[in-house]
Amino acid sequence: LAGPELTSPRSARVSAARRLAKRAFRARERLFLAEGPQAVREALSADGVVTELFVAPEAGERYADLVEAARASGARISTATDGVIAALTQTVTPPGLIAVCRFVDVPLTSAVDASPRLLTVLANVRDPGNAGTVIRTADAAGSDGVVLADASVDPYNAKCVRATAGSLFHLPVVAGAPFVDVVAAAGAAGLQVLAADGAGEDDLDALIDDGTLAAPTAWVFGNEAWGLPEELRAQCDRVVRVPIHGQAESLNLATAAAVCLYASARAQRR
Amino acid sequence: LAGPELTSPRSARVSAARRLAKRAFRARERLFLAEGPQAVREALSADGVVTELFVAPEAGERYADLVEAARASGARISTATDGVIAALTQTVTPPGLIAVCRFVDVPLTSAVDASPRLLTVLANVRDPGNAGTVIRTADAAGSDGVVLADASVDPYNAKCVRATAGSLFHLPVVAGAPFVDVVAAAGAAGLQVLAADGAGEDDLDALIDDGTLAAPTAWVFGNEAWGLPEELRAQCDRVVRVPIHGQAESLNLATAAAVCLYASARAQRR
């Protein structure tokens, strides 16, 4: 048996992939890295996304089906040492499989033209783990798309990709749309725009009870630390608070999004 | 004006506090550290919890009310340099205020004897950030207590304390109870025991519709990676899945807990 093809983290091909850890290089190449068997499997299930697969020896045996699927899809298969794989990731436990993927985000118009009933909008969410968890939660709740508006984190950040647990490849994701355009497009598509905010005038339970949540909705979630500034809240149809029954001051971003999105999913599907 | 009293991270008092980063030392002293103004404020609102407050110069001015409250409660006030404060924490941005706190956990019996209607049980949850976020979410949803069962993470781990955002001081927390005892105590207190699991036979929405969720409930959430093993699930009354409407394989632990606990809160409060 021949050993791995790539043995040096400094080789040209490995260096090119390593540069994708930086946002500027990702934006230039329109490529990013998806790590680990789950993300690679989901990336492969999206047509024409994976351009190259880096595979460590043990992972190549264990996930032979994924390597074969990648090969069949026309992706380049690059066998690599554990050291090379480790150089491509910041995780403590190197994942064994890393795919170079084409960007999957779509324009705002295409996300909104598809008659969405449940849209998820992140406004200036900066933590990649939070953004990724919301993308995963939005997918689970049946959201028709996620928009990362204004200065939100890059969805192709490695931590964000990991936190989506594959959902980045499941639903339309819009990156970098101006918030004002998102609100206008959602309104034109017949969606009510609800902002989640601890100081909202409307109580989530009341909007379930009065039927408001059954209507097509774009949910807006703000920055994890400072929430939604007044100028963004003013553009939304309503500002909604998740009720706090105990003494907590607030919920964190991803858990508030889970409660709101699942409340809408239930109201819309009854 | 006199400078800070503590200037060396190696002084005996600072070293004693630093050791509380380790679980064994926390367990021996029954003391832990709470960092930052929010956690310190919540700790001070709980009677007799704070024994000592380390304060950096700038934070001492900015949070003079907290320093005064700590002094009034009889806590020792230790002014310290930024370097000393930085030595007491693993956070990138040192918090300026760090309180030495007495353990606040309660025995299982006291949490269950108070006729809880909504109990949150973590079984072998290992990630401190996840556990802390669930404690915060449980507080927000009005849960009457949180039980960290079997090999769950220590709630006094610094990352867990941070993720609770003060909720550790708001509701009864039980640490290290055997799962079998938790189920027995919950049953004896008249609570149904519902395990959340992606492969559950019962759908959460169905249990809302048929009124099951209105009854007093202990919700059980398993390990973030491997879920609930069969021998634990078998001890629960029902195994409940949060519906997945999209293509996501699952929700993460804290978001699943948010959906389940808020569903119960709404059902119980109607």
Side-chain angles (χ1 to χ4, degrees):
Chain A
L1 233 79
E5 180 189 357
L6 299 170
T7 55
S8 166
R10 288 193 207 87
S11 71
R13 267 160 65 203
V14 178
S15 294
R18 283 178 81 167
R19 276 197 291 270
L20 298 177
K22 298 208 167 144
R23 184 173 190 164
F25 282 97
R26 291 195 295 268
R28 200 181 69 184
E29 306 288 336
R30 294 194 58 81
L31 293 172
F32 69 104
L33 300 179
E35 305 174 357
Q38 186 189 26
V40 168
R41 178 171 286 118
E42 302 305 313
L44 285 168
S45 72
D47 250 8
V49 164
V50 177
T51 66
E52 181 168 7
L53 184 63
F54 290 92
V55 192
E58 206 189 319
E61 288 178 33
R62 188 158 168 203
Y63 302 106
D65 60 322
L66 294 180
V67 176
E68 195 38 50
R71 198 189 311 274
S73 77
R76 178 173 193 167
I77 309 298
S78 300
T79 56
T81 59
D82 290 324
V84 165
I85 296 287
L88 288 173
T89 175
Q90 266 97 55
T91 49
V92 182
T93 316
L97 292 174
I98 296 183
V100 179
C101 300
R102 291 197 178 89
F103 274 17
V104 294
D105 61 286
V106 300
L108 177 60
T109 46
S110 97
V112 169
D113 287 352
S115 304
R117 290 183 50 79
L118 186 54
L119 211 57
T120 305
V121 181
L122 300 183
N124 302 306
V125 170
R126 303 310 303 259
D127 181 80
N130 282 341
T133 302
V134 175
I135 292 173
R136 177 180 177 184
T137 306
D139 178 18
S143 177
D144 302 297
V146 177
V147 182
L148 295 152
D150 282 358
S152 289
V153 68
D154 178 16
Y156 303 116
N157 172 299
K159 275 188 193 168
C160 181
V161 175
R162 258 197 306 281
T164 72
S167 289
L168 181 59
F169 303 104
H170 291 162
L171 76 174
V173 172
V174 179
F179 186 75
V180 61
D181 294 354
V182 177
V183 170
L191 299 165
Q192 61 183 343
V193 180
L194 304 183
D197 190 291
E201 309 88 55
D202 285 298
D203 180 88
L204 182 70
D205 280 330
L207 298 191
I208 300 173
D209 291 336
D210 71 15
T212 300
L213 275 205
T217 299
W219 270 109
V220 177
F221 305 103
N223 178 274
E224 41 273 89
W226 64 79
L228 272 178
E230 175 51 31
E231 81 254 31
L232 299 196
R233 266 184 289 160
Q235 298 176 52
C236 301
D237 295 312
R238 290 168 185 263
V239 183
V240 184
R241 63 176 187 277
V242 175
I244 301 288
H245 301 300
Q247 296 175 67
E249 202 185 287
S250 64
L251 286 163
N252 84 358
L253 172 68
T255 53
V259 173
C260 293
L261 292 170
Y262 265 92
S264 281
R266 181 169 156 82
Q268 293 184 351
R269 286 161 191 266
R270 286 178 77 82
Chain B
L1 233 81
E5 179 188 359
L6 299 171
T7 55
S8 165
R10 286 193 208 88
S11 72
R13 267 160 65 203
V14 178
S15 294
R18 283 179 81 168
R19 277 198 290 269
L20 298 177
K22 297 207 168 147
R23 184 173 190 163
F25 283 97
R26 290 195 297 269
R28 200 182 68 184
E29 307 288 335
R30 293 193 60 79
L31 292 172
F32 69 105
L33 300 180
E35 305 174 0
Q38 185 187 29
V40 168
R41 177 171 286 118
E42 303 305 313
L44 285 168
S45 73
D47 249 8
V49 163
V50 176
T51 66
E52 179 168 9
L53 184 63
F54 291 92
V55 191
E58 205 191 320
E61 289 177 31
R62 187 159 169 201
Y63 302 106
D65 60 324
L66 295 181
V67 176
E68 195 38 52
R71 197 188 314 274
S73 78
R76 176 172 196 167
I77 309 296
S78 300
T79 56
T81 59
D82 290 324
V84 165
I85 297 287
L88 287 173
T89 173
Q90 267 95 56
T91 50
V92 182
T93 316
L97 292 174
I98 296 183
V100 179
C101 301
R102 291 196 179 89
F103 275 16
V104 293
D105 60 286
V106 301
L108 177 61
T109 46
S110 98
V112 169
D113 287 351
S115 304
R117 290 183 50 79
L118 186 54
L119 209 59
T120 304
V121 182
L122 299 184
N124 301 305
V125 169
R126 304 308 303 259
D127 180 81
N130 282 341
T133 303
V134 175
I135 291 172
R136 177 180 178 185
T137 307
D139 179 17
S143 178
D144 302 297
V146 177
V147 183
L148 295 153
D150 283 358
S152 289
V153 68
D154 178 15
Y156 303 115
N157 172 299
K159 276 189 193 168
C160 181
V161 175
R162 259 198 305 283
T164 71
S167 289
L168 181 59
F169 303 104
H170 291 161
L171 75 176
V173 172
V174 179
F179 186 76
V180 60
D181 293 355
V182 177
V183 170
L191 299 165
Q192 61 183 344
V193 179
L194 303 183
D197 189 292
E201 308 87 56
D202 286 296
D203 179 88
L204 182 71
D205 280 330
L207 298 191
I208 301 172
D209 291 336
D210 72 12
T212 301
L213 277 206
T217 299
W219 270 108
V220 177
F221 305 102
N223 176 274
E224 41 273 88
W226 65 78
L228 273 178
E230 174 51 31
E231 81 254 32
L232 298 197
R233 266 184 288 160
Q235 298 175 51
C236 301
D237 295 313
R238 289 169 186 261
V239 183
V240 183
R241 63 176 186 277
V242 175
I244 301 288
H245 301 300
Q247 296 174 66
E249 203 185 287
S250 63
L251 286 163
N252 83 358
L253 172 67
T255 53
V259 173
C260 293
L261 293 170
Y262 265 91
S264 281
R266 182 169 154 82
Q268 292 184 351
R269 286 160 192 265
R270 288 178 76 81

